[in-house]
């Protein structure tokens, strides 16, 4: 069964150690990006239920507050994760094209 099809049981992705705060589906709904209180952004393959990418998020050094926000986008040429940082900076991660065979 394709992971995005409806089923009676919820899809469970094991990996985060704390509460998940935000999720973003890829345009084709085959990947899911998540961010958690464990300070990681993870990218999941929903067909195989496997982790494709993991990124540890930075802290704001002034008050040790974690940065929770991120964005995940795919274009015909590849997928990207963007994480806003302090001082007007942005960390941009090129994940490349995600192929399915």
């Amino acid at each position: 069964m394709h992971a995005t099809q409806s089923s009676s049981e919820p899809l469970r992705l094991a990996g985060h150690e704390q509460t998940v705060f935000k999720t973003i589906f890829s345009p084709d709904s085959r990947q899911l990006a998540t961010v958690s209180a464990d300070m990681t952004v993870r990218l999941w393959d929903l067909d195989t239920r496997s982790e494709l990418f993991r990124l540890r998020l930075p802290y704001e050094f002034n008050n040790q507050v974690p940065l929770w926000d991120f964005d995940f986008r795919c274009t015909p040429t590849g997928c990207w994760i963007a994480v806003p940082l302090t001082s007007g900076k942005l960390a941009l991660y090129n994940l490349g094209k995600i192929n399915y065979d």
Side-chain angles (χ1 to χ4, degrees):
M1 179 178 87
H2 190 279
T4 56
Q5 293 175 347
S6 63
S7 68
S8 58
E9 294 211 17
L11 177 65
R12 298 188 188 275
L13 302 170
H16 283 296
E17 298 171 7
Q18 295 181 22
T19 304
V20 174
F21 289 114
K22 184 176 180 180
T23 62
I24 301 173
F25 281 94
S26 64
D28 65 3
S29 298
R30 295 180 80 176
Q31 299 89 34
L32 179 70
T34 57
V35 65
S36 167
D38 65 9
M39 296 303 301
T40 58
V41 172
R42 295 172 189 247
L43 180 63
W44 306 92
D45 178 323
L46 296 179
D47 291 329
T48 64
R49 299 181 185 193
S50 62
E51 183 181 289
L52 298 172
F53 175 82
R54 182 184 324 169
L55 169 69
R56 187 115 180 114
L57 291 174
Y59 281 87
E60 285 185 5
F61 294 107
N62 296 344
N63 56 9
Q64 297 299 312
V65 174
L67 300 174
W68 302 116
D69 203 14
F70 77 103
D71 199 2
F72 168 59
R73 301 292 167 145
C74 291
T75 68
T77 59
C79 294
W80 300 81
I81 288 181
V83 179
L85 303 174
T86 58
S87 304
K89 295 180 182 176
L90 176 73
L92 187 60
Y93 298 88
N94 182 348
L95 305 177
K97 189 167 179 139
I98 300 172
N99 294 319
Y100 296 95
D101 295 320

